[in-house]
Amino acid sequence: MIRYAKPTTVDEALALLGEDRWRILAGGTDFYPAQGAKPFRDNVLDINGLTALRGVAETNDHWRIGARTTWTDIVRHPLPAAFDALKAAAREVGSVQIQNVASVAGNLCNASPAADGVPALMVLEAEVELRSAKAIRHLPLGDFILGNRRTALQPGEMVTAIRVPKRSAVGTSAFVKLGARRYLVISIAMVAARLVVEDGAVADAAIAVGACSAVARRLTGVEAALRGCPINEALADAVLSAPIDELSPIGDVRGSAEYREHAAREIVARAVRAALGQDSGKVAA
């Protein structure tokens, strides 16, 4: 017989996780489609009663996004310009109805290579807060997502928050998504870019690409090529000529590996221009 529990406090949820194996149910927008017509065989821990895990808060050192915070919450919350890429990604997570209930942490725990929220959080150098009944630990997002549908979650743990260091919440950012149509589509490729400009040149850059490898990747070669570049027409050339060895795209029904690689380089350039306010960053199908 399976168990169903809906705790009202985080401590109660962690105690339950420590005594048995559970599937955690948050927004349910991936949970139920993945279940399909199969009967439930796992214990279900419904965390939708944990009000403490929803919302965005500012501390002295971090911006803290509760695990149950929805994408609509992200869109509506006043945040620095460095979060504009995350807000744009939030508007691409399915339909508005899905954005109203789907959680930020669920997008990470689902660990899809095409998860729209991941590149935007990566350029913010986000870290994931993991709690069990016995301990709290924090992992960089790049260390939390291990591969397609694989994370570093240990038995008895759950994600309780995503933290963005204030030192990374600077500059301006943009998100560009390429799909087979404009709305309600799984990404062929997507890019988040965050740039810090000082004295007319790029002082710092963070670029991440999703859907072009098993996990989203930061493009360190492109970032290095951008640092120190003056803000002029040659900036796009620096992007287009920089190495992107981190990507390993696959071919599938949405596009070939070669197409993904070429498209990724182009939308990186568009995201950089958009982060600088040079174009809208919108990509047609």
Side-chain angles (χ1 to χ4, degrees):
M1 182 179 295
I2 66 169
R3 299 172 65 190
Y4 170 85
K6 188 174 183 179
T8 56
T9 69
V10 175
D11 286 343
E12 183 186 354
L14 296 175
L16 288 166
L17 284 171
E19 69 182 35
D20 208 342
R21 295 186 67 87
W22 300 83
R23 285 184 65 192
I24 296 178
L25 168 63
T29 56
D30 284 311
F31 184 99
Y32 290 112
Q35 185 66 31
K38 302 187 299 291
F40 281 98
R41 301 193 182 278
D42 300 313
N43 299 326
V44 177
L45 184 67
D46 184 342
I47 65 168
N48 285 293
L50 303 184
T51 57
L53 297 188
R54 183 169 179 180
V56 181
E58 182 180 4
T59 71
N60 290 334
D61 300 319
H62 294 84
W63 288 91
R64 180 183 174 86
I65 302 170
R68 282 193 55 248
T69 303
T70 69
W71 293 107
T72 297
D73 294 336
I74 294 293
V75 170
R76 292 176 177 173
H77 196 87
L79 290 163
F83 286 84
D84 285 354
L86 185 62
K87 286 177 176 278
R91 296 184 180 96
E92 298 286 353
V93 179
S95 64
V96 172
Q97 293 92 333
I98 288 175
Q99 294 162 23
N100 287 343
V101 295
S103 66
V104 177
N107 195 243
L108 306 187
C109 292
N110 195 43
S112 166
D116 289 320
V118 174
L121 286 168
M122 289 188 79
V123 299
L124 289 167
E125 298 181 358
E127 59 184 23
V128 182
E129 180 180 279
L130 305 169
R131 287 186 61 183
S132 68
K134 297 179 180 179
I136 301 176
R137 63 188 180 118
H138 298 92
L139 285 179
L141 179 54
D143 294 336
F144 174 71
I145 300 177
L146 303 178
N148 185 13
R149 311 294 181 179
R150 296 192 300 115
T151 72
L153 267 172
Q154 297 295 319
E157 282 187 330
M158 65 182 291
V159 175
T160 48
I162 297 94
R163 305 197 312 177
V164 174
K166 286 244 178 122
R167 56 176 166 75
S168 304
V170 294
T172 55
S173 68
F175 176 81
V176 177
K177 173 173 176 170
L178 175 66
R181 58 179 186 264
R182 183 64 188 89
Y183 298 105
L184 300 177
V185 63
I186 296 174
S187 295
I188 296 171
M190 56 186 154
V191 174
R194 180 177 62 85
L195 301 177
V196 179
V197 176
E198 295 177 0
D199 300 323
V202 178
D204 197 14
I207 311 293
V209 175
C212 289
S213 44
V215 296
R217 296 289 189 191
R218 287 277 295 270
L219 301 186
T220 56
V222 175
E223 293 171 355
L226 284 170
R227 293 187 186 103
C229 280
I231 308 303
N232 57 30
E233 294 79 6
L235 198 65
D237 293 334
V239 172
L240 294 173
S241 61
I244 54 171
D245 300 332
E246 295 88 352
L247 303 185
S248 53
I250 64 168
D252 61 15
V253 295
R254 286 180 286 277
S256 68
E258 293 79 11
Y259 174 72
R260 274 194 167 91
E261 184 168 337
H262 288 299
R265 191 180 289 277
E266 171 59 27
I267 63 174
V268 167
R270 295 189 189 192
V272 167
R273 291 196 298 267
L276 295 171
Q278 294 178 351
D279 64 31
S280 67
K282 298 214 179 276
V283 178

